[in-house]
Amino acid sequence: MNATPVFDFTTPRIKRAGAAAHSVRPVWAPRAPQVAHTAAAIRSAGRAPLHLTRRGRFLLVGVPLMLAAIVVLVLAGFFTAPAQASVGPGSVGVHASMVTVLTGQTLWSIASTADSTRDPREVVADIVELNGLSTSVVQPGQQLFVPLPG
């Protein structure tokens, strides 16, 4: 029997020596039947199945697809971008060729030969900067990067 206790507060009951003047005693009443909340019970109750609207389908399918496409494009751009060396304030940013120093040559003579259209002082400064030279003295057989004209 499914019965739930219902408390009756109207019936007084006297107890002896120090107990409360009133006590509550349960009265048993029948319990309401439980309703099954299963899919079959819901369908049999006459409720229609869930239908997505156009906006709901867009949110459920379209937004995740767009986010995935954006991620794929960003990763593709990241991995297909050409690698570039860092260009700092110390770099000249010119094309250069490799030259081997011959006996009797100086930075000035190499600069004059390399680019006759520019001031040799600028070309010497470029050669020093390209090769990281700490002195202007060069040795025969030493290989230097020399900026190309243009």
Side-chain angles (χ1 to χ4, degrees):
M1 175 170 136
N2 286 337
T4 305
V6 177
F7 294 99
D8 183 15
F9 294 102
T10 59
T11 309
R13 202 165 160 205
I14 299 174
K15 290 191 175 188
R16 296 184 189 164
H22 297 281
S23 68
V24 178
R25 64 180 195 159
V27 175
W28 294 94
R31 189 178 215 187
Q34 292 288 328
V35 178
H37 293 292
T38 63
I42 291 173
R43 268 189 247 113
S44 66
R47 293 184 184 172
L50 179 66
H51 290 288
L52 285 176
T53 62
R54 176 184 258 175
R55 185 184 309 165
R57 282 190 302 271
F58 175 73
L59 289 175
L60 189 67
V61 176
V63 171
L65 284 177
M66 283 191 273
L67 291 175
I70 290 170
V71 168
V72 167
L73 290 174
V74 167
L75 288 175
F78 178 74
F79 287 115
T80 59
Q84 296 180 355
S86 63
V87 179
S91 64
V92 178
V94 295
H95 297 288
S97 65
M98 182 70 78
V99 173
T100 303
V101 179
L102 301 175
T103 305
Q105 281 187 320
T106 61
L107 283 179
W108 189 272
S109 65
I110 294 171
S112 304
T113 308
D115 192 355
S116 59
T117 61
R118 291 176 50 199
D119 184 13
R121 291 175 287 196
E122 293 175 3
V123 180
V124 168
D126 289 346
I127 293 172
V128 168
E129 191 171 353
L130 278 171
N131 296 287
L133 300 175
S134 58
T135 178
S136 61
V137 177
V138 290
Q139 303 296 323
Q142 185 177 357
Q143 293 189 338
L144 298 174
F145 288 109
V146 177
L148 296 173

